Amino acid sequence: MAVSSGEGKTAGQEDPVRRESARQRAGEQGLLFDEQPAQLPADIGYRGPTACAAAGITYRQLDYWARTGLVEPTIRAAQGSGSQRLYSFRDILVLKVVKRLLDTGVSLQQIRTAVQHLRDRGVADLAQITLMSDGVSVYECTSADEVIDLLQGGQGVFGIALGRVWREVEGSLAELPGERAAVEDTVPADHPADELARRRRARRIG
């Protein structure tokens, strides 16, 4: 299973020494991030080169991921010659997470499932998630205890605290240009077109 809850992975295997060691490892890796990052304006978008700079990826990766439906811009897609994609803060956060998962050897298939899972989350929820992986599966942890359980049980070889990534992206974008999205670029969350777009994406990545 590509993304599953970390809860209960090591039930019945409680070892105080191993648990304390796991807690120390989690602290050293910055996985116990419990701050609530500041919310950014939802109507600010970022063009492709800015998204690349903030996420630490190449334009070729950005373009390929958009064309294959892995991470698409949610503010404005490229529509014809001369049209510029416009990425939201959340999009760039996911781009950076995808880059880190790829760098650690997680398969693209598992990453697609993880990205779809993150899409279904509210923006505020993302900051409280730590993704753990053993290089094969990706586990979602929403508490310090779940992170420690996975590290103690051996499932968590590495982790990504999304709250920490959020802060990194926020810091990068503070020095990069953004632009306010036009009214026609934004689609209300309950708009029928939004549901159709989700269904099209689901067909592409299924």
Side-chain angles (χ1 to χ4, degrees):
M1 185 173 184
V3 177
S4 56
S5 170
E7 187 176 359
K9 294 293 176 185
T10 57
Q13 301 177 20
E14 188 67 35
D15 181 326
V17 175
R18 288 179 63 192
R19 188 169 184 81
E20 181 55 32
S21 175
R23 180 179 292 277
Q24 290 178 359
R25 284 173 58 200
E28 291 167 359
Q29 295 178 43
L31 302 181
L32 304 182
F33 191 91
D34 58 1
E35 296 179 39
Q36 179 62 56
Q39 290 283 2
L40 297 183
D43 59 345
I44 298 296
Y46 304 89
R47 296 193 177 195
T50 300
C52 289
I57 61 175
T58 66
Y59 195 84
R60 172 179 274 186
Q61 287 175 308
L62 182 80
D63 184 58
Y64 178 72
W65 295 349
R67 286 188 292 104
T68 58
L70 179 60
V71 185
E72 297 175 284
T74 57
I75 293 184
R76 185 173 68 216
Q79 298 174 343
S81 177
S83 176
Q84 292 277 346
R85 297 187 184 106
L86 211 56
Y87 289 81
S88 68
F89 177 89
R90 177 196 179 110
D91 297 335
I92 298 173
L93 177 72
V94 175
L95 286 168
K96 195 173 184 73
V97 170
V98 169
K99 172 68 161 53
R100 291 197 175 174
L101 290 173
L102 281 173
D103 287 348
T104 49
V106 177
S107 73
L108 195 57
Q109 181 181 358
Q110 297 285 0
I111 290 173
R112 282 188 181 278
T113 306
V115 167
Q116 184 60 46
H117 187 76
L118 294 179
R119 278 197 189 115
D120 294 337
R121 287 284 194 171
V123 175
D125 292 340
L126 292 180
Q128 306 305 317
I129 293 173
T130 296
L131 295 179
M132 302 292 294
S133 179
D134 52 10
V136 178
S137 298
V138 180
Y139 303 93
E140 176 196 285
C141 300
T142 55
S143 71
D145 284 342
E146 290 179 1
V147 172
I148 293 164
D149 284 347
L150 283 174
L151 286 171
Q152 181 182 345
Q155 291 101 331
V157 176
F158 66 88
I160 303 170
L162 268 63
R164 188 168 296 277
V165 177
W166 182 301
R167 279 291 174 83
E168 292 173 6
V169 172
E170 187 178 35
S172 298
L173 290 177
E175 303 174 359
L176 294 168
E179 60 185 78
R180 195 165 295 279
V183 174
E184 61 268 21
D185 289 331
T186 58
V187 179
D190 58 349
H191 194 283
D194 195 48
E195 177 62 29
L196 289 173
R198 280 198 295 268
R199 291 178 182 175
R200 285 197 295 271
R201 284 197 297 266
R203 282 200 295 273
R204 280 200 294 272
I205 68 173

